[in-house]
Amino acid sequence: QVQLVESGGGLVQAGGSLRLSCAASGSIFSINVMGWYRQAPGKQRELVAGITSGGRTNYADSVKGRFTISRDNAKSTVYLQMNSLKPEDTAVYYCNGNIRGTIRSDYWGQGTQVTVFS
């Protein structure tokens, strides 16, 4: 069984920073793309950033220049460094991974709340 466990959310003032972490565990053979999504109240879940196993990244336009996604393949962990946070970044952030265990499938973490106040 594969699990993704997030940490690092919290309450921060606008302009501040947070770092999210997501560790994959279980019977993992390989991990392809990993990413971070977010969902604000009343809105659809949206992609924030993604990173391939080779390190290629992509970002939502709203976070470019402020957020940085990275991964440590040896630790099966993906990170999201969030700087210059804005109130509109407030959401539940979810980690996603395309992981091959006994089968290849997409897995989700339980979500971590990020709240930015002005």
Side-chain angles (χ1 to χ4, degrees):
Q1 185 73 5
V2 174
Q3 286 187 321
L4 296 178
V5 178
E6 300 127 335
S7 60
L11 184 66
V12 64
Q13 191 170 17
S17 299
L18 284 174
R19 189 191 194 208
L20 305 183
S21 299
C22 171
S25 63
S27 299
I28 297 171
F29 181 75
S30 63
I31 302 177
N32 190 7
V33 176
M34 298 190 81
W36 289 95
Y37 291 71
R38 67 186 181 187
Q39 187 167 19
K43 294 187 177 181
Q44 288 189 330
R45 189 172 299 188
E46 63 174 357
L47 175 67
V48 176
I51 185 167
T52 69
S53 57
R56 189 169 68 240
T57 60
N58 66 290
Y59 296 93
D61 287 343
S62 59
V63 306
K64 283 181 181 177
R66 299 188 297 122
F67 291 10
T68 302
I69 189 171
S70 61
R71 65 191 280 172
D72 185 332
N73 291 329
K75 295 181 178 180
S76 299
T77 299
V78 63
Y79 306 96
L80 186 67
Q81 178 66 44
M82 304 185 293
N83 299 328
S84 302
L85 283 161
K86 305 175 181 180
E88 50 263 44
D89 294 317
T90 295
V92 178
Y93 283 69
Y94 297 91
C95 174
N96 171 271
N98 182 263
I99 298 171
R100 181 182 173 190
T102 52
I103 60 172
R104 179 173 290 283
S105 183
D106 279 333
Y107 294 88
W108 292 90
Q110 79 284 1
T112 185
Q113 177 70 46
V114 171
T115 302
V116 185
F117 64 93
S118 57

